[in-house]
Amino acid sequence: MSKNDSISMSVIRRLPRYYRFLSELDEQAVDRISSTKLAQIMNVTASQVRQDLNCFGGFGQQGYGYSVSQLKKEIETILGLNNSYKAIIIGAGNLGKALAQHMSFERLGFELVGCFDISPEKVGSDIRDLKVRHDSELEAFCSENKLDAAFLCIPKSAVENVLDLLYRHGIRSYWNFSHFDICSKYSDAVVENVHLSDNLMTLCYRMNNSLG
Ligand code: NAI
């Protein structure tokens, strides 16, 4: 059990937002921030901010608020952004390519070390500083490199075979853009599912309920 196991996922899920806002404030050379102001930016209550940050030991000083750079650093450590987890992308299509080209993996605790596809048009092409490799090289690549995570950008129907291989090689962490339910097959896997359509449906609901 890690020291942060008792912290609820809802708090953990707010931390990236704290981190993002604090990074912006830090870039603007803002020195200190009160829990009230931070709460306004976060769109939560000040007591929620204090409760959240108390889970990790406080960091604030009564009456002085929080040091922006210190709090940012603490959250960086809690989230583990100073790690360099080795990750690969499976699927170098629109999504895989966009992730490879636009995500600052190094700032987020990851190092992108490989990219795989099966399409002859994609294999051999360059993405970022990597050459896209064929899936037939995946097994050897997994054996030679101690990989920590895989980012799955392939159709649902293609996931199971690849997943079995990755799991066999000890990869337990997945950023899953496919609609395959990884946890129902491997319950010990650590999975973050991304479904952009869920956000859009929520937007649709909110539009329905706020307009007209
Ligand atoms: P795409 O068709 O541009 O790319 C898919 C790539 O996966 C292709 O290059 C294909 O050759 C490759 N591929 C197929 N089987 C493979 C295998 N076994 N191993 C390695 N590569 C393989 O599609 P796009 O737009 O990049 O989307 C990828 C997947 O993500 C789609 O299945 C789509 O449904 C899903 N998607 C999910 C979203 C989300 O919010 N979760 C949003 C958009 C797409």
Side-chain angles (χ1 to χ4, degrees):
M1 181 158 162
S2 86
K3 63 182 182 329
N4 289 336
D5 272 359
S6 57
I7 296 160
S8 79
M9 270 317 280
S10 51
V11 177
I12 303 289
R13 292 211 181 276
R14 277 194 289 276
L15 288 184
R17 283 184 67 218
Y18 281 112
Y19 184 74
R20 189 153 41 83
F21 291 128
L22 288 163
S23 299
E24 283 171 16
L25 293 167
D26 202 28
E27 274 163 30
Q28 294 158 20
V30 175
D31 190 31
R32 303 194 76 82
I33 187 159
S34 65
S35 46
T36 311
K37 186 83 186 90
L38 193 51
Q40 264 171 17
I41 303 175
M42 287 285 295
N43 202 18
V44 295
T45 63
S47 91
Q48 176 83 79
V49 168
R50 283 190 292 270
Q51 250 179 48
D52 283 354
L53 302 180
N54 275 341
C55 293
F56 306 103
F59 315 128
Q61 254 180 302
Q62 192 81 40
Y64 289 93
Y66 300 96
S67 154
V68 168
S69 62
Q70 196 194 338
L71 185 54
K72 178 185 158 230
K73 232 170 161 197
E74 299 283 0
I75 293 178
E76 196 171 284
T77 307
I78 292 160
L79 288 172
L81 306 187
N82 29 21
N83 281 298
S84 192
Y85 288 124
K86 282 190 181 177
I88 54 173
I89 287 180
I90 310 287
N94 295 315
L95 204 52
K97 216 163 158 181
L99 294 183
Q101 285 168 344
H102 300 296
M103 294 295 298
S104 307
F105 292 115
E106 297 76 10
R107 279 200 313 110
L108 300 170
F110 291 88
E111 183 195 358
L112 186 64
V113 295
C115 193
F116 292 83
D117 204 293
I118 49 166
S119 151
E121 284 126 58
K122 310 279 166 50
V123 173
S125 64
D126 291 310
I127 291 191
R128 214 167 154 125
D129 53 349
L130 297 168
K131 216 162 250 331
V132 177
R133 297 163 190 256
H134 193 272
D135 271 18
S136 55
E137 294 180 45
L138 189 54
E139 183 110 47
F141 191 87
C142 288
S143 302
E144 285 157 21
N145 298 275
K146 205 193 153 307
L147 302 174
D148 300 294
F151 306 156
L152 303 180
C153 305
I154 51 179
K156 183 179 180 180
S157 57
V159 171
E160 195 159 11
N161 284 341
V162 178
L163 177 66
D164 289 346
L165 186 156
L166 298 173
Y167 189 88
R168 229 179 20 252
H169 283 272
I171 301 180
R172 296 288 181 273
S173 304
Y174 301 94
W175 196 19
N176 181 27
F177 288 84
S178 80
H179 302 295
F180 186 88
D181 184 358
I182 296 176
C183 287
S184 71
K185 176 140 198 200
Y186 294 116
S187 59
D188 63 338
V190 178
V191 183
E192 280 296 316
N193 294 303
V194 182
H195 299 294
L196 294 177
S197 51
D198 290 5
N199 285 58
L200 202 54
M201 284 191 271
T202 308
L203 178 66
C204 189
Y205 170 85
R206 294 181 64 196
M207 288 164 74
N208 282 341
N209 288 279
S210 66
L211 302 175

